[in-house]
PDB file of all heavy atoms in Angstrom:
ATOM      1  N   LEU A  61      91.135  75.138 108.381  1.00  0.00           N
ATOM      2  CA  LEU A  61      91.436  74.036 109.286  1.00  0.00           C
ATOM      3  C   LEU A  61      90.134  73.288 109.547  1.00  0.00           C
ATOM      4  O   LEU A  61      89.157  73.885 110.022  1.00  0.00           O
ATOM      5  CB  LEU A  61      92.026  74.567 110.590  1.00  0.00           C
ATOM      6  CG  LEU A  61      92.211  73.568 111.728  1.00  0.00           C
ATOM      7  CD1 LEU A  61      93.114  72.405 111.322  1.00  0.00           C
ATOM      8  CD2 LEU A  61      92.753  74.286 112.967  1.00  0.00           C
ATOM      9  N   ILE A  62      90.107  72.001 109.208  1.00  0.00           N
ATOM     10  CA  ILE A  62      88.940  71.149 109.445  1.00  0.00           C
ATOM     11  C   ILE A  62      89.201  70.373 110.723  1.00  0.00           C
ATOM     12  O   ILE A  62      90.176  69.625 110.810  1.00  0.00           O
ATOM     13  CB  ILE A  62      88.708  70.179 108.273  1.00  0.00           C
ATOM     14  CG1 ILE A  62      88.570  70.932 106.950  1.00  0.00           C
ATOM     15  CG2 ILE A  62      87.477  69.306 108.545  1.00  0.00           C
ATOM     16  CD1 ILE A  62      88.670  70.034 105.722  1.00  0.00           C
ATOM     17  N   VAL A  63      88.332  70.561 111.726  1.00  0.00           N
ATOM     18  CA  VAL A  63      88.516  69.909 113.024  1.00  0.00           C
ATOM     19  C   VAL A  63      87.307  69.029 113.297  1.00  0.00           C
ATOM     20  O   VAL A  63      86.218  69.519 113.611  1.00  0.00           O
ATOM     21  CB  VAL A  63      88.684  70.943 114.158  1.00  0.00           C
ATOM     22  CG1 VAL A  63      89.048  70.245 115.457  1.00  0.00           C
ATOM     23  CG2 VAL A  63      89.714  71.995 113.794  1.00  0.00           C
ATOM     24  N   ASP A  64      87.489  67.723 113.149  1.00  0.00           N
ATOM     25  CA  ASP A  64      86.396  66.776 113.347  1.00  0.00           C
ATOM     26  C   ASP A  64      86.995  65.398 113.610  1.00  0.00           C
ATOM     27  O   ASP A  64      87.970  65.024 112.961  1.00  0.00           O
ATOM     28  CB  ASP A  64      85.499  66.728 112.102  1.00  0.00           C
ATOM     29  CG  ASP A  64      84.113  66.182 112.403  1.00  0.00           C
ATOM     30  OD1 ASP A  64      84.015  65.032 112.890  1.00  0.00           O
ATOM     31  OD2 ASP A  64      83.138  66.899 112.160  1.00  0.00           O
ATOM     32  N   ASP A  65      86.421  64.663 114.550  1.00  0.00           N
ATOM     33  CA  ASP A  65      86.933  63.322 114.829  1.00  0.00           C
ATOM     34  C   ASP A  65      86.457  62.299 113.804  1.00  0.00           C
ATOM     35  O   ASP A  65      86.936  61.175 113.783  1.00  0.00           O
ATOM     36  CB  ASP A  65      86.582  62.875 116.250  1.00  0.00           C
ATOM     37  CG  ASP A  65      85.093  62.869 116.543  1.00  0.00           C
ATOM     38  OD1 ASP A  65      84.354  63.691 115.964  1.00  0.00           O
ATOM     39  OD2 ASP A  65      84.652  62.046 117.369  1.00  0.00           O
ATOM     40  N   SER A  66      85.563  62.680 112.910  1.00  0.00           N
ATOM     41  CA  SER A  66      85.072  61.787 111.861  1.00  0.00           C
ATOM     42  C   SER A  66      85.895  61.958 110.586  1.00  0.00           C
ATOM     43  O   SER A  66      85.892  63.030 109.973  1.00  0.00           O
ATOM     44  CB  SER A  66      83.602  62.077 111.556  1.00  0.00           C
ATOM     45  OG  SER A  66      83.219  61.450 110.351  1.00  0.00           O
ATOM     46  N   ALA A  67      86.566  60.886 110.180  1.00  0.00           N
ATOM     47  CA  ALA A  67      87.345  60.921 108.934  1.00  0.00           C
ATOM     48  C   ALA A  67      86.433  61.169 107.736  1.00  0.00           C
ATOM     49  O   ALA A  67      86.839  61.822 106.771  1.00  0.00           O
ATOM     50  CB  ALA A  67      88.119  59.613 108.761  1.00  0.00           C
ATOM     51  N   VAL A  68      85.205  60.669 107.783  1.00  0.00           N
ATOM     52  CA  VAL A  68      84.260  60.861 106.678  1.00  0.00           C
ATOM     53  C   VAL A  68      83.906  62.335 106.529  1.00  0.00           C
ATOM     54  O   VAL A  68      83.914  62.872 105.412  1.00  0.00           O
ATOM     55  CB  VAL A  68      82.992  59.996 106.890  1.00  0.00           C
ATOM     56  CG1 VAL A  68      81.925  60.332 105.862  1.00  0.00           C
ATOM     57  CG2 VAL A  68      83.341  58.520 106.849  1.00  0.00           C
ATOM     58  N   ILE A  69      83.598  62.992 107.622  1.00  0.00           N
ATOM     59  CA  ILE A  69      83.259  64.423 107.564  1.00  0.00           C
ATOM     60  C   ILE A  69      84.454  65.224 107.059  1.00  0.00           C
ATOM     61  O   ILE A  69      84.309  66.125 106.223  1.00  0.00           O
ATOM     62  CB  ILE A  69      82.797  64.949 108.945  1.00  0.00           C
ATOM     63  CG1 ILE A  69      81.487  64.286 109.360  1.00  0.00           C
ATOM     64  CG2 ILE A  69      82.671  66.472 108.945  1.00  0.00           C
ATOM     65  CD1 ILE A  69      80.296  64.603 108.496  1.00  0.00           C
TER      66      ILE A  69
END
Side-chain angles (χ1 to χ4, degrees):
L61 171 58
I62 304 166
V63 187
D64 201 302
D65 58 329
S66 166
V68 172
I69 295 295

